[in-house]
């Protein structure tokens, strides 16, 4: 399960209402046995100059509010936007020797999921990353779609100082 952050726009707020909803949905899907782990993804992006990493705050909420075991949560605190959310999640899965022949349930708000499914998102990946980090599959619900990682995401861009 990949849960995407939706940054708060107000300074001093560690987790937006939409991210809290994403965390709740991820916890429910994990408890239902849909996946053996959750990846939280989101950096220190919103609001500008924030000290909160969305991924870390979502991990904290999963543990404290929903009692998800810490060992079941992977954290990507480096993602700057959706393209890097998918890329970095792929890299985390690769580091665990996960196979890329299974879909990743991806959770966010309906507008964000629609944006991920759009042809514009595919083009944005090509512009920002130079490749497509994986294929977007079927929409599972208003808040969920599937993502099939690609090995293209394993390529490090030495020109990007924020490419982890």
């Amino acid at each position: 399960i990949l849960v995407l952050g939706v940054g708060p726009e107000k300074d001093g707020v560690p987790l937006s209402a939409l991210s809290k909803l994403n965390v709740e949905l991820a916890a429910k899907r994990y408890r239902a046995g849909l996946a053996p782990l959750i990846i939280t993804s989101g950096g220190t992006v919103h609001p500008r100059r924030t000290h909160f990493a969305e991924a870390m705050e979502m991990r904290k909420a999963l543990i404290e509010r929903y009692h998800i075991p810490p060992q079941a949560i992977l954290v990507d605190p480096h993602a700057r936007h959706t393209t890097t959310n998918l890329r970095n999640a792929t890299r985390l899965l690769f580091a665990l020797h996960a196979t890329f022949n299974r879909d990743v349930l991806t959770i966010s708000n309906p507008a964000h999921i629609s944006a991920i499914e759009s042809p514009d998102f595919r083009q944005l990946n090509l512009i920002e990353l130079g490749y497509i980090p994986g294929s977007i599959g079927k929409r599972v619900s208003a808040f969920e779609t599937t993502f099939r990682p690609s090995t293209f995401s394993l390529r490090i861009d030495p020109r990007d100082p924020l490419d982890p």
Side-chain angles (χ1 to χ4, degrees):
I1 299 168
L2 172 60
V3 57
L4 304 178
V6 180
E9 294 302 328
K10 185 173 180 179
D11 196 29
V13 174
L15 205 56
S16 72
L18 288 174
S19 285
K20 289 177 184 178
L21 178 58
N22 294 352
V23 165
E24 180 181 355
L25 290 170
K28 285 180 181 179
R29 299 304 183 253
Y30 174 82
R31 292 266 181 244
L34 293 183
L37 58 89
I38 298 171
I39 300 172
T40 60
S41 184
T44 53
V45 180
H46 300 284
R48 189 168 186 246
R49 294 193 174 114
T50 185
H51 297 287
F52 297 108
E54 293 170 307
M56 296 302 294
E57 295 302 321
M58 290 188 293
R59 178 186 186 276
K60 184 176 169 183
L62 283 164
I63 294 167
E64 292 177 2
R65 294 183 197 153
Y66 300 102
H67 310 289
I68 302 298
Q71 64 272 19
I73 305 167
L74 298 176
V75 178
D76 163 32
H78 303 289
R80 300 183 305 268
H81 33 73
T82 311
T83 57
T84 53
N85 289 130
L86 300 182
R87 177 197 70 192
N88 296 354
T90 298
R91 291 176 179 176
L92 286 171
L93 291 169
F94 180 77
L96 290 175
H97 304 287
T99 62
F100 287 2
N101 63 352
R102 297 188 67 194
D103 290 337
V104 175
L105 182 66
T106 304
I107 298 175
S108 194
N109 63 74
H112 196 187
I113 294 297
S114 291
I116 291 169
E117 294 176 323
S118 77
D120 291 341
F121 181 67
R122 183 177 175 83
Q123 187 63 30
L124 183 63
N125 280 284
L126 291 171
I127 292 167
E128 291 185 1
L129 302 176
Y131 56 86
I132 308 295
S135 58
I136 305 303
K138 72 173 195 170
R139 183 106 177 217
V140 177
S141 76
F143 296 88
E144 301 159 310
T145 192
T146 58
F147 167 68
R148 177 75 54 101
S150 165
T151 56
F152 285 123
S153 292
L154 304 179
R155 186 178 77 201
I156 304 294
D157 184 353
R159 298 166 297 154
D160 182 354
L162 297 176
D163 188 346

